[in-house]
Amino acid sequence: MIPDEKRVLKIFAGNSNKDLAEEICKYLDVPLGQADVSRFPDGEIKVKIKESVRGEDVFIIQSTCPPTNEYLMELLIIIDALKRASAGRITAVIPYYGYARQERKTQPREPITAKLVANLLVSAGANRVLTMDLHAGQIQGFFDIPVDQLEAVSILSNYFKEKDLDKIVVVSPDVGGTARAREFSGRIKKPIAIIDKYRSSFDDVEIMHIVGKVKGKTAIIVDDIIDTAGSIIKGSQALLNAGVKEVYICATHPVFAGPAKERIEKSFHDGLFKEVVVTNTIPVNEDKILPGIKVLSVAEIFAEAINRIHNNLSISSLFKRNGI
Ligand code: R5P
């Protein structure tokens, strides 16, 4: 058995976000582990780890973004391969944790997929999880293994600090996102407003009220996910109707599913918002990028967290207001 302090740090990646994995490896000055993650002719996932991991400290970088089922299954199978290859410790690094929005039953006979995925990861052999901005913080408690949750708020708020916009109000697009918006507003020392959003269907939202003073201000909507872009569009419309001067959007996870790209393109065209700022927890490929969308990298904060976990150091300094 290799003692903890002698375990070598090894990083592998599935196919969901290879660019981010390469960037993290660059910061850490370690090569990306050799592995083939491909498909059998029938579509089943084929994994071959091409170097020894026996006894080592292994991290797998994989966002469970669309195609979510494919990437989740890749992650589970890579963990299984590493476990069977006798890795000393396996950390699933999941910059975007999919299936998180079903984290409780809101109606009878619904699943709790965030818990199901947690069970699957642990059953496959994950010993720890490192993630960012879970849709709901309580998902950490769905695991009986350590979970470290990073926050993109430092990266996003620093970007807006440097922009030096006039008369800012930070807006939560729904009541559930208030804590996130409050943290953001605390960092840039600006007031907060809250939108009371009602979801009439999975891809349509209605705005009920805006709580807080927004008239004549520059609004920054802070969300965790942009999926179909319905929330940010309805939110921007409501804010402009309430007398906001201009709207900026920022969100950690650019899922950009279904009509999102067309909706965002039209919104820029209609002058609904000035800029959409997201991170690369999910790749924003050529087919999704537009002028006006700014992508900030989370590689450094993930690299630092991996380094600290590997060396048994505290990662709490990564959350300090003047930290990264
Ligand atoms: C909802 O609770 C989330 O925080 C996001 O606001 C939501 O997932 C965004 O989805 P969409 O872009 O489809 O409105």
Side-chain angles (χ1 to χ4, degrees), residues 82-102:
L82 291 166
K83 180 180 71 180
R84 291 175 196 284
S86 305
R89 180 173 71 172
I90 301 170
T91 302
V93 181
I94 312 174
Y96 170 67
Y97 186 92
Y99 275 122
R101 279 172 288 175
Q102 294 172 78

Side-chain angles (χ1 to χ4, degrees), residues 12 34-37 45-54 58 60 73-88 90 123-126:
F12 292 88
Q34 295 292 309
D36 275 343
V37 183
I45 293 161
K46 180 172 185 254
V47 169
K48 167 81 184 147
I49 307 293
K50 293 164 79 181
E51 57 187 273
S52 171
V53 292
R54 187 170 295 272
V58 183
I60 311 149
M73 205 61 206
E74 277 190 6
L75 177 58
L76 296 170
I77 294 173
I78 297 169
I79 293 172
D80 186 72
L82 291 166
K83 180 180 71 180
R84 291 175 196 284
S86 305
I90 301 170
S123 297

Side-chain angles (χ1 to χ4, degrees), residues 20 23-24 27-28 150 155 280 297-307 318 324:
L20 176 61
E23 230 188 299
I24 292 172
Y27 272 109
L28 291 167
L150 300 173
I155 298 165
N280 60 349
S297 180
V298 294
E300 186 177 358
I301 193 167
F302 269 99
E304 188 54 32
I306 290 170
N307 182 42
L318 298 181
I324 284 185

Side-chain angles (χ1 to χ4, degrees), residues 101 135 174 197 199 202 223-231:
R101 279 172 288 175
H135 177 63
D174 50 40
K197 173 179 99 176
R199 196 171 272 285
F202 67 88
D223 209 347
D224 59 334
I225 299 169
I226 299 174
D227 188 357
T228 63
S231 302

Side-chain angles (χ1 to χ4, degrees), residues 44-299:
E44 287 181 2
I45 293 161
K46 180 172 185 254
V47 169
K48 167 81 184 147
I49 307 293
K50 293 164 79 181
E51 57 187 273
S52 171
V53 292
R54 187 170 295 272
E56 309 298 14
D57 191 16
V58 183
F59 293 75
I60 311 149
I61 298 168
Q62 176 84 326
S63 278
T64 48
C65 55
T68 310
N69 299 338
E70 286 290 316
Y71 289 153
L72 172 61
M73 205 61 206
E74 277 190 6
L75 177 58
L76 296 170
I77 294 173
I78 297 169
I79 293 172
D80 186 72
L82 291 166
K83 180 180 71 180
R84 291 175 196 284
S86 305
R89 180 173 71 172
I90 301 170
T91 302
V93 181
I94 312 174
Y96 170 67
Y97 186 92
Y99 275 122
R101 279 172 288 175
Q102 294 172 78
E103 91 288 15
R104 69 201 148 96
K105 287 177 70 167
T106 55
Q107 288 180 35
R109 298 177 295 282
E110 283 185 340
I112 302 181
T113 55
K115 171 63 179 154
L116 173 64
V117 170
N119 288 348
L120 291 171
L121 288 164
V122 174
S123 297
N127 303 115
R128 319 180 52 100
V129 170
L130 172 63
T131 186
M132 177 169 262
D133 287 344
L134 288 166
H135 177 63
Q138 66 268 24
I139 294 170
Q140 291 171 79
F142 294 178
F143 292 87
D144 282 327
I145 55 172
V147 176
D148 291 304
Q149 183 191 194
L150 300 173
E151 295 170 354
V153 65
S154 53
I155 298 165
L156 296 167
S157 61
N158 282 347
Y159 177 78
F160 281 96
K161 248 189 222 165
E162 281 164 21
K163 272 184 122 50
D164 204 17
L165 299 168
D166 192 34
K167 288 201 193 151
I168 293 175
V169 59
V170 177
V171 181
S172 174
D174 50 40
V175 176
T178 308
R180 186 176 305 113
R182 202 178 293 289
E183 177 63 27
F184 190 105
S185 76
R187 285 173 185 258
I188 62 169
K189 301 192 173 54
K190 299 293 175 193
I192 181 176
I194 299 160
I195 293 177
D196 175 18
K197 173 179 99 176
Y198 165 75
R199 196 171 272 285
S200 42
S201 69
F202 67 88
D203 66 349
D204 203 11
V205 294
E206 301 297 331
I207 303 300
M208 313 299 276
H209 306 103
I210 297 172
V211 183
K213 291 187 185 146
V214 295
K215 196 168 177 187
K217 299 207 174 174
T218 298
I220 305 175
I221 298 183
V222 180
D223 209 347
D224 59 334
I225 299 169
I226 299 174
D227 188 357
T228 63
S231 302
I232 56 169
I233 288 172
K234 288 279 171 72
S236 303
Q237 281 164 346
L239 289 165
L240 291 168
N241 290 341
V244 155
K245 257 190 336 187
E246 53 188 18
V247 181
Y248 287 79
I249 310 289
C250 80
T252 309
H253 307 298
V255 174
F256 290 173
K261 186 182 175 193
E262 288 69 33
R263 285 178 171 181
I264 293 173
E265 197 163 22
K266 182 169 183 314
S267 302
F268 279 132
H269 183 261
D270 295 348
L272 205 54
F273 31 72
K274 301 284 285 183
E275 193 176 17
V276 175
V277 183
V278 293
T279 80
N280 60 349
T281 57
I282 297 172
V284 184
N285 297 328
E286 301 271 295
D287 58 328
K288 289 188 184 167
I289 196 80
L290 289 166
I293 297 182
K294 172 83 184 169
V295 183
L296 304 176
S297 180
V298 294

